[in-house]
């Protein structure tokens, strides 16, 4: 890649970051320079084909080397997930779902131009419908914002007890224009090893629930209240959720899903700020900014308490109905 192209790309990434409200960049090291350079090589066509790169101001902004901070690439590419079992999720008292009848979910309309608001994130207001703080971003800008955010996650060392034990950070995975975000608790041992959420036993059950619902894993977005595994899978501390809040709130604000499903009590605490039980909160929609929030049991809880699966299936049916999607198994 030409040096001037590199500079233009760096400047453009910095603009994306600042527009995304990201002010703190990870430390620049020789390693981060080489990662950034290889990221730019693979993303060169994306970066350079946008109209902004033709803007002479971009080059003017980078006339001196000292003004250019190196872009820090994010390692979003997780290692392959372990083999998943193909046994379907079969909630008790519910007919085996047929998947043929499931329609393609509608994709979100994404406006082509969208200056991003720099206003601070507002407090969550459970109980009332709200709006997103910023305009919806085009998909490429979402990806750039997520790459930068993931670099911050990788560099984050706020939770002292966790950071020295983690193997990988677990940013999140899925469609950046997903209608539904699946919000879990925290990575476990498998997620910590592979860097992807919900790939262990709980993840396999989540996958079965998605298949049974006619939702495809790559079409939803999956993330947790924590990016790192708490030692021995203990419940995340309140302070750890707060340390991670800027990350998951930025992800939700960027995706702007229509729905968020909170899997278990920790997700509820993170998204709705409520310490009420899952049993009390499930069965109706709550709100987080512009999204409807549905509360259901955590897949790990369902593995221990199979009787509750039928309740989670009721919750999924409520979600599908509200989304205007067919309910598998129902003619
Ligand atoms: N449990 C969670 O809540 N999240 C994961 O990613 C894995 C297990
Ligand atoms: N308590 C939890 O933390 N999660 C559940 O899913 C159910 C009870």
């Amino acid at each position: 890649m030409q040096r001037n192209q590199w500079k233009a790309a760096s400047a453009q990434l910095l603009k994306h970051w600042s527009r995304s409200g990201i002010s703190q960049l990870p430390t620049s090291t020789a390693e981060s320079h080489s990662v950034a350079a290889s990221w730019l090589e693979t993303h060169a066509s994306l970066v350079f084909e946008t109209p902004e790169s033709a803007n002479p101001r971009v080059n003017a902004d980078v006339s001196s080397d000292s003004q250019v901070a190196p872009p820090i690439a994010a390692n979003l590419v997780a290692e392959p997930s372990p083999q998943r079992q193909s046994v379907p999720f079969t909630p008790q008292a519910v007919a085996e779902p047929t998947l043929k009848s499931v329609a393609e979910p509608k994709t979100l309309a994404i406006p082509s131009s969208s200056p991003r608001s720099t206003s601070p994130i507002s407090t969550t207001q459970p109980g009332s419908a709200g709006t997103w703080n910023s305009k919806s971003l085009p998909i490429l800008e979402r990806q750039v914002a997520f790459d930068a955010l993931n670099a911050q996650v990788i560099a984050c060392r706020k939770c002292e007890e966790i950071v020295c034990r983690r193997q990988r950070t677990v940013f999140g995975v899925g469609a950046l224009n997903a209608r539904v975000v699946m919000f879990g608790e925290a990575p476990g041992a498998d997620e910590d090893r592979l860097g992807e959420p919900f790939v262990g036993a709980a993840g396999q059950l989540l996958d079965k629930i998605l298949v049974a619902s006619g939702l495809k894993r790559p079409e939803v977005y999956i993330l947790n209240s924590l990016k790192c595994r708490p030692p021995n899978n203990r419940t995340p501390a309140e302070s750890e959720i707060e340390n991670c809040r800027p990350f998951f709130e930025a992800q939700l604000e960027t995706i702007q899903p229509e729905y968020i499903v909170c899997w278990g009590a920790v997700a509820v605490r993170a998204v709705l700020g409520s310490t009420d039980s899952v049993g009390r909160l499930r069965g109706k929609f709550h709100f987080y900014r512009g999204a409807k929030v549905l509360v259901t049991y955590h897949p790990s809880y369902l593995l221990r308490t199979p009787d509750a699966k039928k309740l989670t299936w009721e919750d999924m049916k409520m979600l599908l109905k509200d989304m205007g999607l067919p309910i598998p198994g129902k003619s």
Side-chain angles (χ1 to χ4, degrees):
M1 188 189 300
Q2 297 287 316
R3 187 173 171 75
N4 60 346
Q5 288 179 307
W6 213 97
K7 280 184 173 184
S10 306
Q12 202 179 359
L13 280 173
L14 286 172
K15 273 172 60 181
H16 283 307
W17 281 334
S18 64
R19 227 184 283 145
S20 312
I22 292 163
S23 54
Q24 193 193 341
L25 295 179
T27 322
S28 150
T29 61
E31 190 196 9
S32 68
H33 280 240
S34 77
V35 176
S38 67
W39 185 88
L40 280 171
E41 293 293 350
T42 48
H43 291 73
S45 60
L46 291 178
V47 171
F48 294 127
E49 277 164 15
T50 58
E52 276 175 5
S53 63
N55 181 346
R57 258 201 58 70
V58 171
N59 292 323
D61 283 349
V62 293
S63 53
S64 133
D65 271 348
S66 61
Q67 288 174 275
V68 186
I72 313 298
N75 179 13
L76 280 176
V77 186
E79 289 163 30
S81 308
Q83 282 288 320
R84 298 207 178 88
Q85 289 166 14
S86 57
V87 186
F89 168 74
T90 46
Q92 285 157 12
V94 176
E96 187 90 10
T98 53
L99 301 176
K100 285 189 233 56
S101 57
V102 178
E104 286 297 310
K106 98 174 188 275
T107 40
L108 289 172
I110 300 169
S112 55
S113 80
S114 50
R116 193 176 176 84
S117 146
T118 51
S119 62
I121 287 161
S122 70
T123 359
T124 304
Q125 289 187 327
S128 59
T131 54
W132 298 104
N133 288 343
S134 53
K135 282 194 188 163
S136 164
L137 287 179
I139 204 82
L140 175 59
E141 291 191 26
R142 295 180 190 203
Q143 185 63 62
V144 172
F146 269 29
D147 287 351
L149 193 64
N150 190 27
Q152 290 197 332
V153 166
I154 292 166
C156 179
R157 311 195 64 80
K158 276 190 194 161
C159 301
E160 279 175 28
E161 195 197 346
I162 287 183
V163 77
C164 56
R165 291 178 174 85
R166 77 178 178 205
Q167 289 189 56
R168 303 272 299 256
T169 53
V170 182
F171 184 73
V173 69
L176 301 192
N177 60 349
R179 294 183 70 192
V180 190
V181 164
M182 301 298 180
F183 203 109
E185 178 174 322
D190 293 309
E191 292 77 18
D192 180 56
R193 193 164 45 83
L194 296 168
E196 186 175 332
F198 280 108
V199 289
Q204 289 179 11
L205 180 56
L206 178 67
D207 283 353
K208 287 178 204 170
I209 297 170
L210 292 178
V211 168
S213 306
L215 296 169
K216 297 187 184 72
R217 186 171 162 114
E219 285 169 357
V220 300
Y221 194 88
I222 307 176
L223 82 175
N224 287 305
S225 72
L226 293 195
K227 302 295 180 209
C228 305
R229 180 194 183 200
N232 304 317
N233 297 346
R234 66 160 168 71
T235 303
E238 189 85 43
S239 60
E240 291 163 349
I241 297 175
E242 291 317 306
N243 286 344
C244 248
R245 179 172 298 284
F247 296 135
F248 67 71
E249 293 212 327
Q251 283 173 291
L252 295 175
E253 184 65 35
T254 302
I255 297 171
Q256 303 196 353
E258 291 169 63
Y259 300 89
I260 300 169
V261 180
C262 288
W263 296 88
V266 173
V268 167
R269 189 143 53 99
V271 174
L272 296 177
S274 168
T275 51
D276 270 0
S277 69
V278 170
R280 279 174 61 99
L281 293 172
R282 60 174 289 278
K284 64 174 180 198
F285 285 110
H286 307 264
F287 298 95
Y288 173 86
R289 297 192 187 158
K292 290 183 178 178
V293 179
L294 196 71
V295 170
T296 195
Y297 296 101
H298 191 280
S300 303
Y301 176 84
L302 296 177
L303 288 172
R304 297 192 302 271
T305 322
D307 278 357
K309 284 185 188 176
K310 58 180 174 296
L311 300 176
T312 287
W313 182 239
E314 293 301 320
D315 298 332
M316 294 309 290
K317 285 197 288 186
M318 187 176 148
L319 173 71
L320 295 170
K321 181 161 183 268
D322 206 76
M323 290 176 78
L325 296 177
I327 294 163
K330 203 175 159 187
S331 52

